Amino acid sequence: MSAQTYTVAVVGATGAVGEQMIKTLEERNFPVGELKPLASARSAGTTVRFRGQEIVVQEATPEAFEGVDIALFSAGGGVSKELAPEAAKRGAVVVDNSSAFRMEPDVPLVVPEVNPEEIKKHKGIIANPNCSTIQMVVALKPLYDRYGIERIIVSTYQAVSGSGAKAMAELEAQTRAYMNGDDMPLNVMPVAKLDKHYPIAFNVIPQCDVAQENGYTFEEMKMVNETRKIFGDETIGVSATCVRVPVLSGHSESVYVELKSDYDLDEVRELLQNAPGVIVQDDIFQQIYPMPANVAGRTEVFVGRIRRDLTNPRGLNLWVVADNLLKGAATNAVQIAEKWISFKA
Amino acid sequence: MSAQTYTVAVVGATGAVGEQMIKTLEERNFPVGELKPLASARSAGTTVRFRGQEIVVQEATPEAFEGVDIALFSAGGGVSKELAPEAAKRGAVVVDNSSAFRMEPDVPLVVPEVNPEEIKKHKGIIANPNCSTIQMVVALKPLYDRYGIERIIVSTYQAVSGSGAKAMAELEAQTRAYMNGDDMPLNVMPVAKLDKHYPIAFNVIPQCDVAQENGYTFEEMKMVNETRKIFGDETIGVSATCVRVPVLSGHSESVYVELKSDYDLDEVRELLQNAPGVIVQDDIFQQIYPMPANVAGRTEVFVGRIRRDLTNPRGLNLWVVADNLLKGAATNAVQIAEKWISFKA
């Protein structure tokens, strides 16, 4: 290990993912020399805890990035669009968790288990994929390499933490209201900025982001487009149905994947067992399968219900679960920064 | 309307579905002359309410079916296996909500919107399909008739009421415990009779019934086998992933259907709008789609998120929601009895 340390800015330091990024930097013993927690003017002056110290949050301005080596952004697309180029201009490498730059041709979109080499092509900004995409491609990577992938049909069971701390608070408040027979507060789900808000407590909502012209939601199209970009393969077919469920944290996915060649089910299981970042929990006879309740705080992607599809001999069904705030966001972002360091070394 | 009335037994009268059957008989103004609520010896002596009267629950014995015209069973497969033949022997027409007889060749498996004529072939017992199958085939029927169905890949979001009143009580008790920071009671989910029990509050469980030899669960194989039997078409491919979610009542399904011929999306929408028992709620731009929170107490099947699949030109994606205790159980059973009466007339 090099003794070199880095000045690391975390933009959106007081949000659900930003907080987790700071925790992840500490837990993974990232070589942070100085931590600069940044946020909106409203949150500036509050403190975050890092390595036993309280550090004052500063306002995220262009000038705040002077001297920053690595900037982890998780403050929404608007902030990223405005400030990520400013950070890059001042010499920082940006790892951006928003969707602002993901599909830009000259911005690498990286999952370290899948396409780490892309990091080398960055021009100042590296994009962190969408949470539901990350866990799926980590699970599919060994199958892509061995058999090729014709197409994917995925239905998600997404936790509210994907919509931030306010959504988590709303699920808890709605649950409490429901149990007390009171009216539920309806302000955040499914999409805070849209007109209509529905209960998520004791409900499921088949909308995780705004609608796109083709009738799919933006969340669904992220899974389509990001999967292709990460694998560097525009021929992969992807269709997604993204659904919010009353789970606080941990995304689950029912994944149908049609491989390009015939496969052996035992080999598939072995490939998954040996895949980096994947943990197989797969024995329905012993009631062993991944569940969001069991993945909180875990950085790996969990795969179970591995079985041959009944409608196509090259079809395979998987159940994929991960902590969306960790592997789906903070952990993947810090892993990108770690890889970047290792390539420099 | 004929003035004839019928003596109707409800077996399992004190369970979640049995209670609903009695309510449904009343609400649909079924020509009940006498109602005979039957249950286990343990529940005998309690009362149920029907048309403003308290009626004493009797023990379900073979003799209790003397003079019964129609017997609606919803007391589990064991009770059905033992007592449905006894009821039929005594001249009753049995509509059985358990899985005991569904796949028997000489037992019609009926969804009145799909295959009502099968009722005429009964030899004393008519089977009511599984809840998750019923709502799917109602939605797919007009598409099957117009285009033919090559295959179906479905992922479910199933409410706990599908596991009965105890499961509903457990979700509420677990939720209360979680909110109070107490340990959750773990006795019912995912399958009461299995060894391991997991929380369903703030969790999802990818198991809705016991495992079958092929690695699918019984619930998943019900969707495969029952769909083929109801359509009378063994060539339909079906693969299912059945998942329990923390919803009290109302099953949701993400359905991918591959049709046998090309289709026009506007025509699909029109076919669904005109299909009996189907209500289309489909405008993602206005945030209109079905959700379990909105279907409680409704007897129809709700369809939304109707969109062309992105991986196959004959593929179509649908989001299908219904009240699993009503169209998925009690309503469908009473509708079968209504059809049986109309065929006799």
Side-chain angles (χ1 to χ4, degrees):
Chain A
M1 264 261 175
S2 142
Q4 195 184 344
T5 62
Y6 299 86
T7 298
V8 180
V10 173
V11 186
T14 56
V17 173
E19 271 185 23
Q20 190 54 61
M21 282 171 161
I22 293 170
K23 227 170 127 183
T24 298
L25 288 169
E26 179 167 342
E27 284 169 358
R28 295 179 72 92
N29 206 17
F30 192 90
V32 177
E34 185 191 347
L35 180 77
K36 286 187 102 172
L38 304 176
S40 64
R42 214 186 42 226
S43 295
T46 62
T47 62
V48 298
R49 207 173 170 77
F50 182 65
R51 292 183 189 156
Q53 290 190 302
E54 296 295 329
I55 304 182
V56 178
V57 176
Q58 299 171 42
E59 186 181 349
T61 60
E63 296 70 32
F65 294 98
E66 298 287 353
V68 168
D69 300 305
I70 298 166
L72 307 178
F73 274 71
S74 192
V79 173
S80 289
K81 265 184 193 151
E82 188 195 331
L83 291 178
E86 297 289 343
K89 207 164 68 183
R90 287 169 174 79
V93 169
V94 171
V95 181
D96 180 30
N97 192 44
S98 84
S99 62
F101 300 102
R102 286 182 192 149
M103 297 312 295
E104 296 289 319
D106 60 352
V107 173
L109 182 67
V110 177
V111 178
E113 291 88 343
V114 181
N115 61 342
E117 297 293 318
E118 288 296 305
I119 290 172
K120 295 176 181 169
K121 301 179 187 165
H122 84 84
K123 299 200 167 84
I125 301 175
I126 303 165
N128 203 44
N130 185 45
C131 45
S132 37
T133 310
I134 293 176
Q135 66 185 70
M136 184 172 79
V137 299
V138 168
L140 293 180
K141 165 71 171 166
L143 308 179
Y144 179 83
D145 287 347
R146 173 71 179 82
Y147 307 108
I149 290 177
E150 187 76 37
R151 62 170 173 149
I152 300 160
I153 298 170
V154 55
S155 297
T156 70
Y157 303 68
Q158 297 185 225
V160 295
S161 62
S163 296
K166 272 185 195 165
M168 297 174 79
E170 182 164 275
L171 171 54
E172 294 198 343
Q174 287 180 352
T175 303
R176 226 176 277 280
Y178 183 93
M179 299 306 282
N180 295 334
D182 297 333
D183 285 346
M184 292 190 197
L186 298 175
N187 303 304
V188 180
M189 301 309 291
V191 183
K193 67 184 170 196
L194 293 182
D195 286 345
K196 295 180 187 164
H197 296 115
Y198 304 127
I200 183 62
F202 302 105
N203 193 26
V204 304
I205 308 178
Q207 174 171 30
C208 288
D209 206 328
V210 296
Q212 305 290 283
E213 219 173 299
N214 66 354
Y216 285 76
T217 62
F218 187 36
E219 184 81 2
E220 289 162 352
M221 293 314 295
K222 286 177 205 164
M223 295 194 80
V224 175
N225 297 319
E226 295 182 15
T227 297
R228 289 181 181 150
K229 180 166 177 175
I230 294 164
F231 280 117
D233 183 347
E234 290 298 313
T235 71
I236 301 177
V238 186
S239 213
T241 301
C242 290
V243 180
R244 197 69 69 183
V245 295
V247 168
L248 285 161
S249 215
H251 285 359
S252 306
E253 298 175 346
S254 172
V255 179
Y256 166 84
V257 56
E258 211 166 287
L259 301 170
K260 282 201 168 162
S261 62
D262 289 337
Y263 67 86
D264 178 78
L265 195 59
D266 290 333
E267 189 186 52
V268 162
R269 211 169 267 119
E270 205 183 301
L271 287 167
L272 286 165
Q273 270 156 354
N274 295 330
V278 172
I279 292 183
V280 172
Q281 294 181 330
D282 183 45
D283 186 350
I284 185 71
F285 304 100
Q286 301 298 320
Q287 297 187 262
I288 293 169
Y289 33 69
M291 292 182 287
N294 292 345
V295 306
R298 301 292 298 264
T299 59
E300 304 91 344
V301 172
F302 294 80
V303 183
R305 301 298 322 273
I306 303 168
R307 61 211 197 282
R308 195 169 275 285
D309 184 73
L310 301 172
T311 68
N312 186 309
R314 291 183 283 102
L316 176 74
N317 291 308
L318 305 172
W319 176 252
V320 180
V321 183
D323 186 327
N324 53 300
L325 293 183
L326 294 184
K327 186 56 191 170
T331 303
N332 198 71
V334 174
Q335 285 173 322
I336 290 173
E338 289 170 350
K339 273 280 172 204
W340 174 73
I341 290 177
S342 77
F343 287 144
K344 272 184 10 121
Chain B
M1 265 259 174
S2 145
Q4 196 186 340
T5 62
Y6 299 85
T7 298
V8 180
V10 174
V11 186
T14 57
V17 173
E19 270 185 23
Q20 190 54 59
M21 282 170 162
I22 293 169
K23 226 169 130 185
T24 299
L25 288 168
E26 180 167 342
E27 285 169 357
R28 295 178 72 91
N29 206 18
F30 192 90
V32 177
E34 185 192 345
L35 180 77
K36 285 189 103 173
L38 304 176
S40 64
R42 213 185 43 224
S43 295
T46 62
T47 62
V48 297
R49 209 173 170 76
F50 181 67
R51 292 183 188 158
Q53 289 192 302
E54 297 295 329
I55 304 181
V56 177
V57 176
Q58 300 171 42
E59 186 180 350
T61 61
E63 297 70 32
F65 296 98
E66 297 287 353
V68 168
D69 300 306
I70 298 167
L72 307 178
F73 273 71
S74 193
V79 173
S80 290
K81 265 184 194 149
E82 187 195 332
L83 291 178
E86 297 290 342
K89 208 164 67 184
R90 287 170 174 79
V93 169
V94 171
V95 181
D96 181 29
N97 192 44
S98 83
S99 61
F101 300 102
R102 285 180 192 151
M103 297 313 295
E104 295 289 320
D106 60 351
V107 173
L109 182 67
V110 177
V111 177
E113 291 88 344
V114 182
N115 62 343
E117 297 293 318
E118 288 297 304
I119 290 172
K120 295 176 181 169
K121 300 179 188 165
H122 84 85
K123 299 197 167 86
I125 302 175
I126 302 164
N128 203 45
N130 185 45
C131 45
S132 37
T133 310
I134 294 175
Q135 68 184 68
M136 185 170 79
V137 298
V138 168
L140 293 181
K141 165 71 171 165
L143 308 180
Y144 180 83
D145 288 346
R146 172 71 180 81
Y147 307 107
I149 290 177
E150 188 77 38
R151 62 171 174 150
I152 300 161
I153 298 169
V154 55
S155 297
T156 70
Y157 303 66
Q158 296 184 225
V160 295
S161 61
S163 296
K166 272 184 196 165
M168 296 174 79
E170 183 165 273
L171 171 55
E172 293 199 342
Q174 287 180 352
T175 303
R176 227 175 277 280
Y178 183 93
M179 299 306 282
N180 294 334
D182 298 333
D183 285 345
M184 292 190 197
L186 297 175
N187 304 303
V188 180
M189 301 309 290
V191 183
K193 66 183 170 196
L194 293 181
D195 288 344
K196 295 179 187 165
H197 296 115
Y198 304 126
I200 185 61
F202 303 104
N203 193 25
V204 305
I205 308 178
Q207 172 171 32
C208 289
D209 206 327
V210 296
Q212 305 290 281
E213 219 173 299
N214 66 353
Y216 284 76
T217 61
F218 187 36
E219 183 82 2
E220 289 162 352
M221 293 314 295
K222 286 177 205 163
M223 295 193 81
V224 175
N225 297 319
E226 294 181 15
T227 298
R228 288 181 182 150
K229 179 166 176 174
I230 295 164
F231 280 116
D233 183 347
E234 290 299 312
T235 70
I236 301 177
V238 186
S239 212
T241 301
C242 290
V243 180
R244 196 69 69 182
V245 295
V247 168
L248 285 161
S249 215
H251 285 358
S252 306
E253 297 175 347
S254 172
V255 179
Y256 166 84
V257 56
E258 211 165 286
L259 301 170
K260 282 200 167 162
S261 62
D262 291 335
Y263 67 85
D264 178 78
L265 195 59
D266 290 333
E267 187 185 53
V268 162
R269 209 169 268 120
E270 204 182 302
L271 287 167
L272 286 165
Q273 270 156 354
N274 295 330
V278 172
I279 293 182
V280 171
Q281 294 182 329
D282 183 45
D283 186 349
I284 185 69
F285 303 100
Q286 301 297 321
Q287 296 186 263
I288 293 168
Y289 33 69
M291 293 182 287
N294 293 345
V295 307
R298 299 293 297 266
T299 60
E300 304 91 344
V301 172
F302 295 79
V303 183
R305 300 300 321 273
I306 304 167
R307 61 212 198 280
R308 195 169 276 284
D309 184 74
L310 301 173
T311 68
N312 186 307
R314 290 183 285 102
L316 177 72
N317 291 307
L318 305 172
W319 176 252
V320 181
V321 183
D323 185 326
N324 53 300
L325 294 182
L326 294 183
K327 186 55 189 169
T331 303
N332 199 70
V334 174
Q335 284 173 323
I336 289 172
E338 289 170 349
K339 273 282 172 200
W340 173 74
I341 290 177
S342 77
F343 287 144
K344 273 186 7 125

